[in-house]
Amino acid sequence: MAKGASISGFPEWLPSERVVEQRVIDTLRKVFELNGFIGIETRAVETGASLLKKGETSKEIYLLSRLQEVGHESDTPIEERLGLHFDLTVPLSRYVVEHSGALAFPFKRWQIQKVWRGERPQEGRFREFVQADIDVIGAGDLPDHYEVELPLVMVSALEELRAYGLPKATVHANNRKLSEGFYRGLGLTDVEGVLREIDKLDKIGADEVARLLTETCGATEAQARACLELAELTASDGAELAAKFDALCEAHGIVKDSEAYTLARQGLDTLAMIVDEAAAIRPGSVIADLKIARGLDYYTGSVYETFLDGAASLGSICSGGRYDNLASQGNRKYPGVGLSIGLSRLVSYMLHTAGAHANRVSPAAVLVAVWNEEDRPAANRIANQLRARGIATDVAPTAAKLGKQIKYADKLGIPYVWFPATAAEGAEGAEPAGDEVKNIVTGEQVAADCTSWEPDTVVAQQTVEI
Amino acid sequence: MAKGASISGFPEWLPSERVVEQRVIDTLRKVFELNGFIGIETRAVETGASLLKKGETSKEIYLLSRLQEVGHESDTPIEERLGLHFDLTVPLSRYVVEHSGALAFPFKRWQIQKVWRGERPQEGRFREFVQADIDVIGAGDLPDHYEVELPLVMVSALEELRAYGLPKATVHANNRKLSEGFYRGLGLTDVEGVLREIDKLDKIGADEVARLLTETCGATEAQARACLELAELTASDGAELAAKFDALCEAHGIVKDSEAYTLARQGLDTLAMIVDEAAAIRPGSVIADLKIARGLDYYTGSVYETFLDGAASLGSICSGGRYDNLASQGNRKYPGVGLSIGLSRLVSYMLHTAGAHANRVSPAAVLVAVWNEEDRPAANRIANQLRARGIATDVAPTAAKLGKQIKYADKLGIPYVWFPATAAEGAEGAEPAGDEVKNIVTGEQVAADCTSWEPDTVVAQQTVEI
């Protein structure tokens, strides 16, 4: 990130870093579209009423006021004020309801946009960042198979980013129904409370979670221990998952013909389908991990978090799940399933830990030298010829000494310098009879015609290296 | 624009409209990068102090407050509060100064981002919209030739958009030095005042401007008339421009050895260079039009506005100019020249007046049919094979009757439907022995292998038509 960015929490990339972010965005978009997702962009603002619906993050909203309203902000109730969106899920829900008549369902959409969190500034927390989301929204109902397919789309997107230094990603999946069925089978009723405490497991440890479960969720020591046992369960195929889960149920007296077990089994079957399908396509890409709870209480089925090999401290870089009740219009519900990548944090990791970097700052492959300011129109004509043929080209800013022009190209990483034929007598350096072009990395210089010359395709490309 | 967008001034595109906007953005980016411009993105917020520096639009700022600060907003002086940027020029100036050590100068950058104006809601005014900017910033100085080249980059970008229905664009250029020299030659001293009134010419007419010039800028009737005569001057080549201008000076007694004429001549020479160079590359793309004043008082040299043939009511769709004093650090100035496209308004025009539309909503070229839910993994395998070969593919949402699946493809505009070989007995429609693929537009159906089949390249492409 650009050093000394003057407002804490609002990261800003230097041009060479932006090349990496742009490459990540382009790559995700390509994968999303290959999978048939439709791109949308929603406005940056929602009403306070819409933003405050969702519990957890309601404290982290930026509200807007027009300059003229300063001092009178409180005349308008918060619900009617405008605020910046803090994620892309709330706006999607609103968009789908608002434009339902114009959409084909199930509506598969991708969206890559900035979001804002009005947090107290603190080390390492972004208050402005980019999210990259995919969701599928059904009208009335939504088949479960999307709970299998969406994490796999994210897996293949993250797989593409490994070329730019991203470590292997593993999706950890769970299912709310499975957890709820198990907790109810144990006799616990505050399901959301239990999920909320379990979600803290990685942060505060098992002992502390056990204490909280007994203190705030009415669990006995034994119930708390059982919840923790469930949270420890992981499996990489459906059969293993079912066997381990059934053993746990038996150990804690949850019988198979109970309502609770039936509910849990429903979740388990979806989860088993996810890991088995994932294993068939990309072994090791998705595992069942029953401690995944996700704090947000709007999830109703599958939940996902994604971790990078060797980067546990980064936390989940791609999270989401199934939500059945986020959007509705009259009696009609719009259930959905989606995942969201915290893109800015990911790019930050790629840049600063994985060592991803642009091979050059400028998109230009060629810098046309200028011998004298009077020759500039000729240099521009050469540049336009190259551009018309798809070769990104810059022209030297001044008719400085040739060494200075080459230094300018070098600073921007432009690999080729073009020497127009119209070398004036007094010019330093080579005075070619016709145009020549020099690869300033290898030093190779050849005669060239701007209507036909082709750069080396590898050298010409602006790309991201590790 | 999506009908019934629920917050006035915050436009939001339907998916098919977003395809057009995305295509416009992609096209501009391509042209900017072909010309060696470097892409950056700045944070959406600046400090109040930074936003309030510039006169004209200071009244149209959205300030932010964290939810917790509601009721105490006024505890923080406006200068220290955060506000959303209202253009991309102020953020660029701040970015260049902040990161000057890490940039190569002259710094050529493109930037396509949303901006916000905290205006009173009114018909047809956007409060959130996308701008597409190019600027060149020098450290200390900046050669004049960029004043020639930047409008030509915009011309070639707008030219590319004609494939999507944009009418021919003409840049109207003027030069502040020319105007100032002329006004001073007439004996007028309130140069900024005169420019501000002249800028209203198209809106309120010559008589009203003449009245304002005499009432607010201390002009005599004759001086006001002379200013209006200058504003009526247009020329499509440098020689014509110089001849007309000199005739006007002679008529109003501005002599060639005066300081005022020397200043005007400096502006005239740059302007002549712009129109002549433009005429050599793209005849008719840039004309000298001396009524172009641009309200913003930070311009110090060339100023540009751009109009579309047959769309005068749209006003200028791409404006900008040279500014020498917007950014500085200690004694060092960062002069710049840049132009900005009001992209949202442009896209709105292309969609609703020029008839630009996506050939389809979905990026997918193929929909794989699903005979039975049990066959879904096989359908997914086919889809993944096609995707691995770069063919965007969707899979039918449910194993509905074939007619319904085809209807889904049709609604999304997906041209090909793929029939996997594993047709179950009971399935409607064809029961092919091997995989087959059908072009649902032409009805043509052929045997196909997902590891080798190639769609018709034209049919497969998601594009924008007119």
Side-chain angles (χ1 to χ4, degrees):
Chain A
M1 182 184 347
K3 289 286 189 308
S6 59
I7 304 179
S8 157
F10 290 83
E12 205 162 59
W13 307 117
L14 290 173
S16 61
E17 298 171 324
R18 171 65 180 165
V19 174
V20 175
E21 182 179 58
Q22 186 74 67
R23 182 59 55 107
V24 170
I25 290 171
D26 291 346
T27 302
L28 295 178
R29 172 181 166 192
K30 187 193 74 186
V31 174
F32 297 161
E33 297 201 331
L34 266 179
N35 282 275
F37 286 79
I38 293 166
I40 67 162
E41 179 143 313
T42 56
R43 58 180 192 233
V45 305
E46 300 291 336
T47 61
S50 180
L51 294 170
L52 289 166
K53 258 190 208 161
K54 193 167 114 179
E56 281 257 2
T57 38
S58 67
K59 299 276 160 41
E60 301 176 354
I61 297 171
Y62 275 119
L63 293 169
L64 303 187
S65 44
R66 295 171 51 225
L67 192 57
Q68 285 85 336
E69 294 165 350
V70 167
H72 313 277
E73 288 96 337
S74 307
D75 295 359
T76 311
I78 287 173
E79 288 69 22
E80 292 171 24
R81 290 179 63 178
L82 301 179
L84 296 173
H85 58 214
F86 53 80
D87 72 2
L88 302 177
T89 311
V90 170
L92 174 65
S93 306
R94 193 259 317 147
Y95 182 95
V96 163
V97 171
E98 192 167 307
H99 309 305
S100 59
L103 305 176
F105 291 97
F107 178 53
K108 297 172 68 172
R109 85 87 175 79
W110 68 266
Q111 189 171 355
I112 301 180
Q113 259 180 271
K114 280 189 177 164
V115 304
W116 294 268
R117 305 259 164 108
E119 303 193 14
R120 195 173 285 281
Q122 51 178 311
E123 197 52 51
R125 299 282 278 193
F126 289 160
R127 298 196 282 171
E128 167 176 297
F129 55 99
V130 177
Q131 283 195 334
D133 284 27
I134 51 172
D135 286 81
V136 181
I137 308 280
D141 54 19
L142 182 73
D144 291 351
H145 65 79
Y146 288 114
E147 293 175 58
V148 181
E149 286 151 21
L150 262 71
L152 289 175
V153 174
M154 280 302 199
V155 163
S156 68
L158 294 168
E159 195 72 23
E160 291 268 318
L161 296 182
R162 295 186 66 182
Y164 311 121
L166 198 75
K168 183 181 178 309
T170 309
V171 175
H172 293 234
N174 191 7
N175 192 293
R176 281 277 169 96
K177 290 177 183 165
L178 189 160
S179 308
E180 177 171 351
F182 186 80
Y183 301 154
R184 291 200 188 282
L186 293 174
L188 291 166
T189 51
D190 181 7
V191 173
E192 289 188 0
V194 176
L195 284 170
R196 205 162 8 243
E197 304 309 341
I198 291 290
D199 195 37
K200 300 174 184 163
L201 200 48
D202 280 342
K203 265 190 206 150
I204 61 175
D207 290 347
E208 194 59 17
V209 169
R211 194 181 60 77
L212 287 170
L213 287 172
T214 53
E215 281 179 14
T216 68
C217 307
T220 64
E221 282 284 333
Q223 286 170 328
R225 214 173 45 245
C227 292
L228 287 166
E229 277 179 54
L230 182 74
E232 276 162 20
L233 201 164
T234 62
S236 51
D237 69 67
E240 181 194 0
L241 172 68
K244 285 182 170 177
F245 182 73
D246 283 351
L248 208 61
C249 286
E250 211 178 299
H252 294 283
I254 301 170
V255 293
K256 293 209 171 175
D257 60 359
S258 64
E259 240 178 77
Y261 183 86
T262 306
L263 178 65
R265 187 75 209 190
Q266 214 183 314
L268 187 144
D269 288 345
T270 303
L271 186 55
M273 195 161 69
I274 294 172
V275 287
D276 285 345
E277 178 98 340
I281 296 173
R282 281 175 212 271
S285 59
V286 181
I287 62 164
D289 180 352
L290 275 52
K291 78 165 170 299
I292 301 300
R294 306 283 306 131
L296 302 171
D297 45 13
Y298 61 65
Y299 291 118
T300 52
S302 298
V303 284
Y304 320 99
E305 295 194 346
T306 309
F307 301 94
L308 297 177
D309 275 10
S313 63
L314 201 59
S316 173
I317 52 123
C318 172
S319 310
R322 164 122 191 180
Y323 45 90
D324 280 345
N325 308 312
L326 201 56
S328 62
Q329 192 172 31
N331 286 329
R332 195 183 216 188
K333 281 190 178 174
Y334 293 93
V337 51
L339 292 101
S340 174
I341 293 178
L343 192 137
S344 299
R345 232 152 42 96
L346 201 68
V347 170
S348 182
Y349 179 86
M350 291 170 75
L351 286 169
H352 302 125
T353 307
H357 59 276
N359 68 335
R360 64 169 185 261
V361 171
S362 172
V366 179
L367 179 80
V368 181
V370 176
W371 303 113
N372 283 292
E373 278 306 323
E374 299 77 59
D375 300 331
R376 184 170 293 280
N380 282 337
R381 274 194 297 278
I382 292 166
N384 284 333
Q385 273 287 355
L386 293 169
R387 290 166 186 152
R389 295 173 45 238
I391 301 165
T393 304
D394 203 350
V395 176
T398 61
K401 288 186 182 175
L402 189 58
K404 207 174 162 191
Q405 296 190 40
I406 290 176
K407 208 172 149 191
Y408 176 79
D410 188 51
K411 197 163 178 191
L412 289 171
I414 301 174
Y416 292 103
V417 176
W418 192 281
F419 304 123
T422 52
E425 279 79 336
E428 275 197 15
E431 291 185 33
D435 286 11
E436 297 201 352
V437 64
K438 179 175 189 162
N439 178 324
I440 62 169
V441 182
T442 63
E444 192 193 7
Q445 185 165 337
V446 295
D449 178 337
C450 62
T451 62
S452 59
W453 175 79
E454 289 288 344
D456 178 285
T457 49
V458 173
V459 174
Q461 215 177 13
Q462 188 187 31
T463 188
V464 170
E465 298 171 343
I466 43 174
Chain B
M1 185 184 345
K3 290 284 191 307
S6 59
I7 305 180
S8 157
F10 290 84
E12 207 163 57
W13 307 116
L14 290 172
S16 61
E17 297 170 325
R18 170 66 180 164
V19 174
V20 175
E21 183 179 58
Q22 185 75 66
R23 182 60 55 107
V24 170
I25 290 170
D26 291 346
T27 302
L28 294 178
R29 172 181 166 193
K30 188 193 75 185
V31 174
F32 297 160
E33 297 200 332
L34 266 180
N35 282 275
F37 285 79
I38 293 167
I40 67 164
E41 179 144 314
T42 56
R43 58 181 193 235
V45 305
E46 300 292 334
T47 60
S50 181
L51 294 170
L52 289 167
K53 256 191 212 163
K54 192 168 115 179
E56 281 258 3
T57 39
S58 67
K59 299 276 160 36
E60 301 176 353
I61 297 171
Y62 275 120
L63 293 169
L64 304 186
S65 43
R66 294 171 52 225
L67 192 57
Q68 284 86 334
E69 294 164 347
V70 167
H72 312 277
E73 287 97 339
S74 308
D75 295 359
T76 311
I78 288 174
E79 288 69 23
E80 290 170 25
R81 289 179 64 179
L82 301 179
L84 296 173
H85 57 215
F86 53 81
D87 73 2
L88 302 178
T89 311
V90 170
L92 173 65
S93 305
R94 194 260 317 147
Y95 181 96
V96 163
V97 171
E98 193 166 307
H99 308 305
S100 60
L103 305 176
F105 289 96
F107 178 53
K108 296 173 67 171
R109 85 88 176 77
W110 67 267
Q111 189 171 355
I112 301 179
Q113 259 181 271
K114 280 188 176 163
V115 304
W116 294 267
R117 304 260 164 108
E119 302 195 14
R120 194 172 287 281
Q122 51 178 310
E123 197 54 48
R125 298 283 279 193
F126 290 160
R127 298 196 283 173
E128 167 177 298
F129 56 97
V130 178
Q131 284 195 335
D133 284 27
I134 51 172
D135 287 82
V136 181
I137 307 281
D141 53 20
L142 183 72
D144 290 352
H145 65 79
Y146 288 114
E147 292 175 58
V148 180
E149 284 150 23
L150 263 72
L152 289 175
V153 174
M154 281 302 199
V155 163
S156 68
L158 294 167
E159 196 71 24
E160 292 269 318
L161 296 182
R162 295 186 67 181
Y164 311 122
L166 198 73
K168 183 180 177 310
T170 309
V171 175
H172 293 234
N174 191 4
N175 192 294
R176 281 279 167 97
K177 290 178 184 163
L178 189 162
S179 307
E180 178 172 348
F182 185 80
Y183 301 154
R184 290 200 189 281
L186 292 176
L188 291 165
T189 51
D190 183 5
V191 173
E192 289 187 1
V194 175
L195 284 169
R196 205 161 10 243
E197 304 310 340
I198 291 291
D199 196 37
K200 299 174 184 163
L201 199 49
D202 280 343
K203 265 189 204 150
I204 62 175
D207 290 347
E208 194 59 16
V209 169
R211 194 181 60 77
L212 287 168
L213 287 172
T214 52
E215 281 179 15
T216 69
C217 306
T220 63
E221 282 284 331
Q223 286 170 329
R225 214 173 45 246
C227 291
L228 287 166
E229 276 178 58
L230 183 74
E232 275 162 21
L233 200 165
T234 64
S236 51
D237 69 65
E240 183 194 359
L241 173 66
K244 284 183 171 178
F245 181 74
D246 282 350
L248 207 59
C249 286
E250 211 179 301
H252 295 281
I254 301 171
V255 293
K256 293 208 172 178
D257 59 358
S258 64
E259 240 177 76
Y261 182 86
T262 306
L263 178 65
R265 186 76 208 191
Q266 214 182 314
L268 187 142
D269 288 344
T270 303
L271 186 54
M273 194 160 71
I274 295 173
V275 287
D276 285 345
E277 179 97 340
I281 297 173
R282 281 174 212 270
S285 59
V286 180
I287 62 164
D289 180 351
L290 274 51
K291 78 165 171 299
I292 302 300
R294 307 283 306 132
L296 303 172
D297 46 12
Y298 61 64
Y299 291 118
T300 52
S302 297
V303 286
Y304 320 99
E305 295 196 345
T306 309
F307 301 94
L308 297 177
D309 276 8
S313 64
L314 201 59
S316 173
I317 53 124
C318 173
S319 310
R322 163 121 190 181
Y323 44 90
D324 280 346
N325 307 313
L326 202 54
S328 62
Q329 194 173 30
N331 285 330
R332 195 182 214 187
K333 281 192 178 174
Y334 293 93
V337 52
L339 292 100
S340 173
I341 294 178
L343 193 136
S344 300
R345 233 152 42 97
L346 201 69
V347 169
S348 182
Y349 179 86
M350 291 170 74
L351 287 169
H352 302 125
T353 307
H357 59 275
N359 66 336
R360 62 170 185 262
V361 171
S362 173
V366 179
L367 179 79
V368 181
V370 177
W371 302 113
N372 283 293
E373 278 306 325
E374 299 77 59
D375 300 330
R376 183 169 296 278
N380 282 336
R381 274 194 298 278
I382 292 166
N384 283 333
Q385 273 287 355
L386 293 170
R387 290 166 187 152
R389 294 174 45 240
I391 301 165
T393 304
D394 204 350
V395 176
T398 62
K401 288 185 181 176
L402 190 56
K404 206 173 160 190
Q405 297 189 39
I406 290 176
K407 208 172 149 192
Y408 175 79
D410 188 50
K411 197 164 178 190
L412 289 171
I414 301 174
Y416 292 102
V417 176
W418 191 281
F419 305 124
T422 51
E425 279 80 335
E428 275 196 16
E431 292 186 32
D435 285 11
E436 297 201 352
V437 65
K438 180 176 188 160
N439 178 325
I440 62 170
V441 182
T442 63
E444 191 192 8
Q445 185 164 336
V446 295
D449 177 337
C450 62
T451 62
S452 59
W453 174 80
E454 289 288 344
D456 178 284
T457 47
V458 174
V459 174
Q461 216 177 12
Q462 188 186 30
T463 188
V464 170
E465 298 172 342
I466 42 174

